[in-house]
Amino acid sequence: MHIPDGFLTLPVWAAFDAVSIPAVGLLARQARKQVEDSRIPLLGVMGAFVFAAQMINFPVGLGTSGHLVGGALLACTLGPAPAAIVMTAILVIQSLVFQDGGILALGTNVFNMAIAGVFAGYLPYKLLRDTSWRKGGIFLAGFASVLCSACLALSQLLISGVPMSRQLLWVSLGLFTVSALLEGAITLAVLEGIERLNPAWVRSGPLVPAAGNRRLIAVLATAAIVLAAGGVLFASAAPDGLETIVRHLGFAPQAKVVLASPLSDYQFQGFQSESLRKASAGLIGLVLIYVACFVLGRSIRQRRSV
């Protein structure tokens, strides 16, 4: 789902950079109204959990894999504006530290997943949250979030002149639809688990003060560590949907690396074992994501108090 550098034309990535930067600023201002001191650690923990879950690829067919994106999960638990900020932090660190998604294309990826994806996921959840179709709304949230982001990414590639046959386009949409269905199922399962730990958090609405956060934070943090350190043993080695398209078209050499990193491809080069390289990179990522989201939460909260 992350578009690398070298595939979008300058007008496309520059336009989305120009849109995403002020949009994230406006969302940060909106998040000030929703972030409470007691919820700031949850921003970091939820960001770390989503980052760890994104590292676990699962097969979706035709030699392709998918992974949780997490925009809907963040929107349902934190609210759309804080969720967009947390997802932006994840995407920035993935791009700069792990070379997952281009630096020049960062604004495009932020728009697709942190802005459009988050709000596309939040809409069905908001509409159905207080009805008997609540679970269906959560499932649709995950489904809509991924499908919206995927359609935007495909459109941006097409506008940039990346040649895709009609058959490849339909196959790509089919694979992304499978990923979207799995996203909906995972989002529903995780939210139901969160509700068992702290029913008031989700049912009372995003970021409404609720008791029991310490236990919830401990469980989510533990899950994130297990996923980041141990999930690499079970993750599919198949490329994800967008990477499959790139390889099928023979465009892989066109991908550009603007800034090299010792943690590229989610591997810390200090170990010989591939499992240790991936596990250590995942744990480093967890720390970076938690600190970034925590600091952003503090900054948002302090500006609100001014």
Side-chain angles (χ1 to χ4, degrees), residues 199-218:
W201 182 17
V202 177
R203 289 194 175 277
S204 59
L207 292 176
V208 175
N213 284 343
R214 290 185 179 180
R215 181 188 176 195
L216 181 61
I217 289 174

Side-chain angles (χ1 to χ4, degrees), residues 12-13 16 18 35 59 77 105 117 120 132-133 146 153 188 200 264 278 290:
V12 173
W13 65 254
F16 280 97
V35 175
T77 53
S132 59
W133 292 88
V146 167
L188 177 58
S264 62
K278 290 184 176 180
Y290 179 84

Side-chain angles (χ1 to χ4, degrees), residues 25-263:
L26 290 173
L27 288 168
R29 293 182 61 183
Q30 183 65 29
R32 294 177 199 170
K33 304 175 183 178
Q34 303 173 10
V35 175
E36 302 292 340
D37 288 337
S38 62
R39 297 291 180 164
I40 292 176
L42 286 173
L43 299 181
V45 171
M46 284 302 302
F49 177 83
V50 167
F51 169 81
Q54 286 184 356
M55 295 182 65
I56 312 302
N57 282 44
F58 44 78
V60 296
L62 300 179
T64 302
S65 67
H67 61 76
L68 178 78
V69 177
L73 177 60
L74 291 173
C76 294
T77 53
L78 302 177
I85 300 304
V86 170
M87 183 60 77
T88 297
I90 293 173
L91 293 171
V92 169
I93 290 176
Q94 287 176 328
S95 176
L96 297 179
V97 179
F98 299 99
Q99 294 180 358
D100 188 6
I103 294 177
L104 298 178
L106 181 57
T108 308
N109 290 323
V110 166
F111 182 86
N112 294 351
M113 289 179 275
I115 300 175
V118 164
F119 280 88
Y122 185 68
L123 181 59
Y125 171 71
K126 181 180 180 180
L127 293 175
L128 299 174
R129 184 178 64 191
D130 299 323
T131 71
S132 59
W133 292 88
R134 183 174 178 279
K135 290 185 178 181
I138 295 173
F139 178 86
L140 286 174
F143 178 84
S145 176
V146 167
L147 201 58
C148 174
S149 299
C151 288
L152 283 170
L154 289 174
S155 299
Q156 290 149 357
L157 291 173
L158 289 171
I159 293 172
S160 296
V162 175
M164 279 187 276
S165 66
R166 182 174 299 180
Q167 181 181 5
L168 178 59
L169 186 60
W170 281 111
V171 170
S172 301
L173 287 172
L175 292 173
F176 281 128
T177 299
V178 174
S179 294
L181 291 169
L182 291 171
E183 180 93 8
I186 295 172
T187 301
L188 177 58
V190 173
L191 278 175
E192 287 187 329
I194 288 175
E195 284 191 342
R196 293 189 185 97
L197 294 169
N198 190 347
W201 182 17
V202 177
R203 289 194 175 277
S204 59
L207 292 176
V208 175
N213 284 343
R214 290 185 179 180
R215 181 188 176 195
L216 181 61
I217 289 174
V219 171
L220 289 172
T222 301
I225 293 171
V226 171
L227 288 173
V232 295
L233 301 175
F234 308 99
S236 171
D240 65 18
L242 191 57
E243 188 177 352
T244 299
I245 296 172
V246 170
R247 291 185 179 183
H248 182 82
L249 293 171
F251 272 64
Q254 187 174 337
K256 298 178 181 178
V257 176
V258 176
L259 181 66
S261 169
L263 295 173

